[in-house]
Amino acid sequence: MIVPRRVALRSLFALAVTAFTGGALTRITALPARDALAAAEDPHAFDEMYAGRRIQGFAGPTGEPVALVDGRPLHLMRCADGGWVTPIDHYESCPTPLAATRAAVADLGPAPLSRYAAWHGDHGGESTHPGGSPRGVHA
């Protein structure tokens, strides 16, 4: 019979999609809502309102700090002096990821954080981010 086989395959497909979506959503929603014990063990953990924006920080999967500004990722780079910089201001080295995130928010002012603020690297010698927006500011 073809009908029961189709129904079974559709059911299995729906179950797999539901399981994958549920697992992905669980990881996404659990990421910022870390428990107090994990936050105490994480030297990069912060979650606060700064200059009218929600800034969050935590250790990523590789142990490197991850920063979010209003839920958008902000790339953090380690300096030779042990400090941190962001694409918003490559020249000001800050002592901690929190200080670097605050400095980026202060430099942005009311401008929204561009989706390219998480992008970094030498891609064909471009002097600005893709789309022509310098310093992580979305035009």
Side-chain angles (χ1 to χ4, degrees):
M1 289 188 158
I2 296 176
V3 174
R5 182 177 172 204
R6 255 187 218 164
V7 170
L9 287 175
R10 284 182 186 161
S11 298
L12 285 174
F13 177 75
L15 182 63
V17 168
T18 304
F20 176 77
T21 304
L25 288 176
T26 300
R27 277 189 230 115
I28 290 171
T29 57
L31 197 57
R34 299 166 52 104
D35 64 334
L37 179 61
E41 295 174 1
D42 184 356
H44 303 299
F46 57 90
D47 187 351
E48 66 182 44
M49 292 299 291
Y50 180 77
R53 296 180 186 237
R54 182 172 186 196
I55 60 173
Q56 299 170 286
F58 48 90
T62 62
E64 288 294 311
V66 175
L68 301 175
V69 176
D70 294 332
R72 287 188 144 181
L74 174 67
H75 184 67
L76 294 168
M77 297 160 279
R78 189 76 170 186
C79 298
D81 67 359
W84 298 89
V85 295
T86 67
I88 309 303
D89 186 356
H90 273 217
Y91 302 106
E92 180 183 352
S93 178
C94 298
T96 65
L98 172 59
T101 305
R102 285 178 178 165
V105 167
D107 281 353
L108 281 172
L113 184 65
S114 169
R115 66 178 178 254
Y116 300 120
W119 174 87
H120 185 274
D122 183 20
H123 297 274
E126 299 172 7
S127 61
T128 60
H129 296 287
S133 177
R135 293 177 50 107
V137 177
H138 190 312

